[in-house]
């Protein structure tokens, strides 16, 4: 493949670490930038995952010209349907800041109705097609 998908990661918590590990294992993707609440946290995360562009704020990440923001992907905790509405508000605020439409990928088999009602552009429904993964409940 001639070009890789470039990912920007907002945050440096558990899910971001899991996601960065997954990106590092792919041949067609690369961690391009990370934004955090502090420069130190962004730098530490970037050093851990080989991400070259580390930003002290989410706004700085969104303004990075090397990685134009296309949208958000989020996985709220199970049963936290209100989070979908809150994420839709986050997207709307960023659309206003940037002056462009952004995508929002959120929701899975167990909560897709709430995600769609809140405005998700994409849901992940593998469990409905393939069943539970072995060893997971």
């Amino acid at each position: 493949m001639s070009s890789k998908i470039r990912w920007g990661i907002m945050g440096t918590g558990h899910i971001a670490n899991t996601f960065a590990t997954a990106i590092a294992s792919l041949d067609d993707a690369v961690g391009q930038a990370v934004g955090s609440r502090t420069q130190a946290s962004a730098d530490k995360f970037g050093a851990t995952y080989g991400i070259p562009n580390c930003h002290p704020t989410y706004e700085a990440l969104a303004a990075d010209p090397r990685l134009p923001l296309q949208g958000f992907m989020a996985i709220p905790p199970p049963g936290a349907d209100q989070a979908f509405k809150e994420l839709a508000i986050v997207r709307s605020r960023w659309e206003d800041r940037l002056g462009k439409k952004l995508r929002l990928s959120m929701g899975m088999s167990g909560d897709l109705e709430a995600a769609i009602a809140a405005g998700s552009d994409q849901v992940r429904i593998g469990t409905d097609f393939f069943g539970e993964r072995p060893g997971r409940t």
Side-chain angles (χ1 to χ4, degrees), residues 3-26:
S3 65
K4 294 185 175 193
I5 298 170
R6 296 171 295 136
W7 286 92
I9 301 173
M10 285 189 168
T12 57
H14 176 72
I15 291 174
N17 278 273
T18 301
F19 189 66
T21 299
I23 290 171
S25 73
L26 300 173

Side-chain angles (χ1 to χ4, degrees), residues 32-66:
Q32 180 71 36
V34 61
S36 186
R37 292 186 180 124
T38 68
Q39 187 68 59
S41 178
D43 289 344
K44 180 179 177 184
F45 190 91
T48 299
Y49 297 104
I51 297 174
N53 304 299
C54 304
H55 301 286
T57 65
Y58 305 130
E59 290 80 5
L61 172 62
D64 187 331
R66 296 166 291 215

Side-chain angles (χ1 to χ4, degrees), residues 53-103:
N53 304 299
C54 304
H55 301 286
T57 65
Y58 305 130
E59 290 80 5
L61 172 62
D64 187 331
R66 296 166 291 215
L67 190 71
L69 182 61
Q70 301 295 310
F72 299 97
M73 181 182 78
I75 304 171
D81 290 354
Q82 179 61 29
F84 294 120
K85 294 175 186 172
E86 293 168 6
L87 288 162
I89 291 168
V90 168
R91 173 181 58 180
S92 178
R93 289 179 180 161
W94 278 99
E95 287 176 337
D96 290 345
R97 284 181 185 173
L98 300 173
K100 69 177 187 178
K101 178 87 172 125
L102 299 171
R103 306 226 359 128

